[in-house]
Amino acid sequence: MGSPSGPPFDPDDPDRGRRDRDTEPIPRVRPDDDVPGSRSGPSDGPPFSDDVGYGDGPYAGEGRSGRAWVRDPEAGYQAPQISEDELAGLRVDASGMPLGPRRVLPLEDEPSSLVARYLFPTERYRGEWKRHWIHLTTPILVGIAATFVLGYLSGFLAGRDVGALTTIAVLLWFAVMGWVAWRVADWWYDRFILTNKRVMVVNGIVTRKVAMMPLARVTDMKYEQSPTGRALNYGTFVLESAGQDQALREIKNLPNPNELYLRVVEEMYEPQAVEARLGKEADEAKADDGA
C-alpha cells in the first residue's frame, strides 16, 4: 500500500531501496555506547544532547565552529565580572552626584554681598563665578614689561644726570601699575551669576553694568574652548535668545566651562532635580549639625 502523499507502491521500483535509506531515522548515540569514529562515547568527551547550548559551564568543550558549548547553560551560569575601573564612573556621592570628571562641584549656599543686591526675594541662587585668571594676562604682561623697561630706563637716565626724565619714567611706571591694579580690581568685581530664573553678568567698579537673560528665553547655548582653554580649563559661552539682540550673548574666559554648562542645562531642563538635590544636601547638613 502506498503513502497517500507519495507515489503508488511498486515492488519492482529500483529506487525504492535508496529512498528507504534516505528517509530512515538516524539512531541516537547513547552516552555509554562506544561507537568507533563517532564524536560521542566514553573516550571522546561529554555527549551531545537536546539541551546543548553555547556558554561556560559543566561539560564545556569546543565544537567544530570553535565556540564553546555546554550541556545545560543554566547550570553553568556565572554572574558577569565588572572591574573596579568600570564601576568608578557609576559611583555617586551622598548627594547623588557622580564621582567622575564631570562632577558638578559644590558652591557656596549664599550669594556674596556683591551679588545679593541684584537678586529678588523669590529667586533662588545657584552660583556665581569670576572669570578665569587668563583674563588678566594682558595687564600682567604689560606690568612686567613696564617694570623691566622703565626700570632700565630710569637707571640709564640717572647716570646721565637728567633728573627730570628720570622722574617722568618713574611717574610713568606708577601710572602703568595703577592701570594694572584697576584691571585686577575690575576682574575681581566681574561676576557671572546663575539663578533658577536667569543668567546675569555684573561688572564695573565706578560705572556698574548688569546684563541678564531669562532662562526661559534661551533658545541655544554653547561653549567654545581653544587648545589653551582646554589645557587651562576655561572657555567662552555663547547664548542665543530667539534670534533677537540681547544684552548678554558672549561671555569670555569663564572657568570650568563643562561644569558651568551642566549647571545651566540642568537648570533649564530639570529644575525639579536641582531642587531635590539641593534639598537633600540641606537635610544632610542639618543632620550633621545636629550630630
Side-chain angles (χ1 to χ4, degrees), residues 6-10 12-24:
F9 177 76
D10 186 0
D12 299 328
D13 186 0
D15 296 332
R16 177 173 176 270
R18 178 178 58 80
R19 287 198 302 271
D20 291 343
R21 287 194 304 271
D22 293 342
T23 57
E24 182 180 358

Side-chain angles (χ1 to χ4, degrees), residues 1 3 27 44 49 61 96 116 162 182 186 190 200 216 234-235 241 253 261:
M1 179 180 296
S3 171
D44 291 334
S49 64
V162 284
W182 179 272
D186 185 69
D190 190 349
M200 293 187 294
Y234 71 91
S241 176
N253 301 330
Y261 177 82

Side-chain angles (χ1 to χ4, degrees), residues 5-285:
S5 60
F9 177 76
D10 186 0
D12 299 328
D13 186 0
D15 296 332
R16 177 173 176 270
R18 178 178 58 80
R19 287 198 302 271
D20 291 343
R21 287 194 304 271
D22 293 342
T23 57
E24 182 180 358
I26 299 175
R28 183 181 296 277
V29 179
R30 305 179 65 84
D32 54 351
D33 293 339
D34 190 3
V35 181
S38 67
R39 289 183 58 86
S40 64
S43 60
D44 291 334
F48 292 96
S49 64
D50 293 336
D51 56 357
V52 168
Y54 294 104
D56 296 330
Y59 303 107
E62 185 174 334
R64 295 180 181 179
S65 63
R67 294 182 296 180
W69 56 269
V70 65
R71 167 185 279 275
D72 187 358
E74 296 182 357
Y77 173 78
Q78 296 181 357
Q81 301 296 325
I82 302 177
S83 65
E84 291 295 327
D85 294 338
E86 294 173 325
L87 289 174
L90 302 177
R91 291 195 173 94
V92 296
D93 59 13
S95 62
M97 299 305 301
L99 295 175
R102 300 183 63 184
R103 178 184 179 187
V104 179
L105 301 177
L107 296 174
E108 297 294 333
D109 296 333
E110 298 294 333
S112 63
S113 59
L114 174 67
V115 173
R117 69 186 69 177
Y118 303 108
L119 305 180
F120 53 87
T122 58
E123 196 170 20
R124 294 185 179 273
Y125 169 81
R126 299 303 190 213
E128 60 184 272
W129 293 262
K130 293 191 296 288
R131 295 182 191 263
H132 194 270
W133 60 263
I134 200 71
H135 194 68
L136 298 174
T137 301
T138 299
I140 290 176
L141 291 179
V142 169
I144 294 174
T147 300
F148 279 100
V149 172
L150 294 177
Y152 173 81
L153 182 60
S154 298
F156 176 79
L157 294 176
R160 299 292 178 176
D161 195 17
V162 284
L165 293 180
T166 303
T167 303
I168 292 175
V170 173
L171 292 177
L172 184 60
W173 179 83
F174 275 110
V176 172
M177 297 309 294
W179 175 80
V180 172
W182 179 272
R183 292 294 303 270
V184 171
D186 185 69
W187 165 80
W188 178 262
Y189 287 105
D190 190 349
R191 305 293 174 91
F192 177 84
I193 306 158
L194 173 65
T195 72
N196 66 327
K197 301 291 185 182
R198 53 183 173 159
V199 292
M200 293 187 294
V201 171
V202 178
N203 56 18
I205 301 176
V206 177
T207 302
R208 185 62 56 86
K209 299 177 182 178
V210 180
M212 58 84 63
M213 180 186 296
L215 290 176
R217 298 290 301 275
V218 177
T219 58
D220 186 26
M221 182 185 68
K222 65 179 179 180
Y223 73 89
E224 302 171 353
Q225 279 187 293
S226 63
T228 306
R230 295 180 64 185
L232 300 179
N233 196 22
Y234 71 91
T236 298
F237 269 73
V238 180
L239 304 175
E240 299 289 347
S241 176
Q244 301 176 358
D245 293 336
Q246 55 269 345
L248 186 107
R249 184 179 185 275
E250 186 177 88
I251 311 101
K252 296 182 178 180
N253 301 330
L254 287 176
N256 303 319
N258 187 67
E259 173 198 347
L260 184 54
Y261 177 82
L262 292 177
R263 283 189 177 274
V264 176
V265 170
E266 186 181 29
E267 197 64 54
M268 291 171 58
Y269 296 105
E270 295 292 341
Q272 295 84 359
V274 179
E275 293 288 347
R277 186 179 72 249
L278 295 179
K280 183 177 180 181
E281 292 177 356
D283 293 340
E284 291 177 351

